[in-house]
Amino acid sequence: MHVALALFVIAIGSVVFHLLSPWWWTPIASNWTYIDHTITITFWITGLVFLAVVLFMAWCVWRYRHRPRQGDVLYEPENKRLEWWLTAITAIGVAAMLAPGLYVWSQFITVPPDADEVEIVAQQWQWSYRLPGPDGRLGATAIRHVSDDNPLGLDPQDPRGADDLMVQGGELHLPVGRPVKAVLRSLDVLHDFYVPEFRAKMDLIPGMVTYFWLTPTRTGTFEVLCAEMCGVGHAFMRGFVVVAEESDYRAWLEQQQPARPAAQLRVPTMTER
């Protein structure tokens, strides 16, 4: 009886704690409310399964407890009807969790054609950013070009990178209400760009270019975290994203410096062309 009572208290107490807990998501600041809805569906399904299993265990402990002069016990190693019911219910539950996730993922990887582009570069232990200049296009990069004078590895033969804007270790500014595609690169180890209020996040993998997109929906300053263990300075790899109105965003852009001064732009020779 003590075990059955303990299981009952655990089940009901877990539900009460979840409903009354002061800890929840930070207020969302992007278009990804779908992610919140998907997690909520998962909470409901897994919560109901947890509640049902623990209460069933408590009932079994109470119902089939040892009693004097109980009589014979029925041994039934298999029950095909019960197995079919459990298989069907499990399949429905798994499908109910996977379907919303697949729907959100299809939207997550489909970038709007009018999205602005910004490159986010991670290295131990800071964030750097690159934005298109007046031509609206980011120049090519390669890891072999990374040096003290070229920290982001811009291709010296690509004229499109001559007007790119670089923010190294500072704040990234984004315009509110406009979709943004974040192109992600890592110069050393595995990192993960994560702003809790944006919900969306993605790993930065050495040797690969990954991406995600979002539309900021409210202005403010939001903290950037690295969500992958990336070394002894992992806890200090933080930054800030400022979502501003269009006029403030444009004023900030005008204050940024080109990633590569025009004097460093190397014009390819006729042979290289």
Side-chain angles (χ1 to χ4, degrees), residues 152-180:
L152 300 188
L154 272 69
D155 187 345
Q157 298 187 24
D158 187 0
R160 296 175 302 174
D163 61 350
D164 289 354
L165 307 176
M166 182 175 68
V167 180
Q168 195 168 15
E171 296 177 345
L172 172 64
H173 286 229
L174 297 175
V176 67
R178 277 169 44 188
V180 178

Side-chain angles (χ1 to χ4, degrees), residues 167-210:
V167 180
Q168 195 168 15
E171 296 177 345
L172 172 64
H173 286 229
L174 297 175
V176 67
R178 277 169 44 188
V180 178
K181 177 185 179 181
V183 181
L184 311 174
R185 287 192 299 133
S186 172
L187 299 182
D188 40 42
V189 299
L190 185 66
H191 299 277
D192 190 295
F193 185 83
Y194 179 44
V195 178
E197 290 83 357
F198 291 167
R199 302 297 191 265
K201 69 187 187 77
M202 182 62 69
D203 284 350
L204 291 81
I205 304 172
M208 292 181 61
V209 177
T210 55

Side-chain angles (χ1 to χ4, degrees), residues 52-259:
V53 169
V54 177
L55 290 178
F56 176 72
M57 290 172 58
W59 180 80
C60 287
V61 170
W62 173 80
R63 174 66 178 79
Y64 301 106
R65 69 191 184 279
H66 173 72
R67 285 168 288 184
R69 298 180 298 276
Q70 183 171 337
D72 295 335
V73 176
L74 176 64
Y75 176 64
E76 188 177 4
E78 295 184 8
N79 188 319
K80 292 187 179 297
R81 181 180 179 184
L82 178 61
E83 291 173 1
W84 276 109
W85 272 106
L86 291 176
T87 301
I89 294 173
T90 301
I92 293 172
V94 172
M97 290 189 293
L98 288 179
L102 292 174
Y103 172 75
V104 173
W105 177 251
S106 68
Q107 294 186 319
F108 192 78
I109 61 176
T110 305
V111 182
D114 60 339
D116 297 334
E117 195 169 59
V118 57
E119 182 183 61
I120 301 173
V121 182
Q123 64 186 105
Q124 296 173 315
W125 287 277
Q126 72 171 12
W127 301 102
S128 299
Y129 311 100
R130 186 164 62 103
L131 299 97
D135 66 355
R137 303 172 66 185
L138 290 172
T141 61
I143 195 68
R144 64 179 179 274
H145 298 308
V146 174
S147 64
D148 292 340
D149 296 329
N150 189 5
L152 300 188
L154 272 69
D155 187 345
Q157 298 187 24
D158 187 0
R160 296 175 302 174
D163 61 350
D164 289 354
L165 307 176
M166 182 175 68
V167 180
Q168 195 168 15
E171 296 177 345
L172 172 64
H173 286 229
L174 297 175
V176 67
R178 277 169 44 188
V180 178
K181 177 185 179 181
V183 181
L184 311 174
R185 287 192 299 133
S186 172
L187 299 182
D188 40 42
V189 299
L190 185 66
H191 299 277
D192 190 295
F193 185 83
Y194 179 44
V195 178
E197 290 83 357
F198 291 167
R199 302 297 191 265
K201 69 187 187 77
M202 182 62 69
D203 284 350
L204 291 81
I205 304 172
M208 292 181 61
V209 177
T210 55
Y211 72 92
F212 71 92
W213 74 274
L214 75 151
T215 301
T217 55
R218 64 183 176 94
T219 59
T221 300
F222 309 104
E223 187 174 17
V224 179
L225 307 174
C226 180
E228 289 287 355
M229 180 63 184
C230 57
V232 296
H234 167 71
F236 305 101
M237 189 169 176
R238 299 181 177 182
F240 291 95
V241 174
V242 178
V243 179
E245 298 291 348
E246 183 69 22
S247 58
D248 296 331
Y249 172 70
R250 290 295 174 186
W252 174 81
L253 274 183
E254 294 175 357
Q255 299 174 2
Q256 306 312 306
Q257 299 298 320

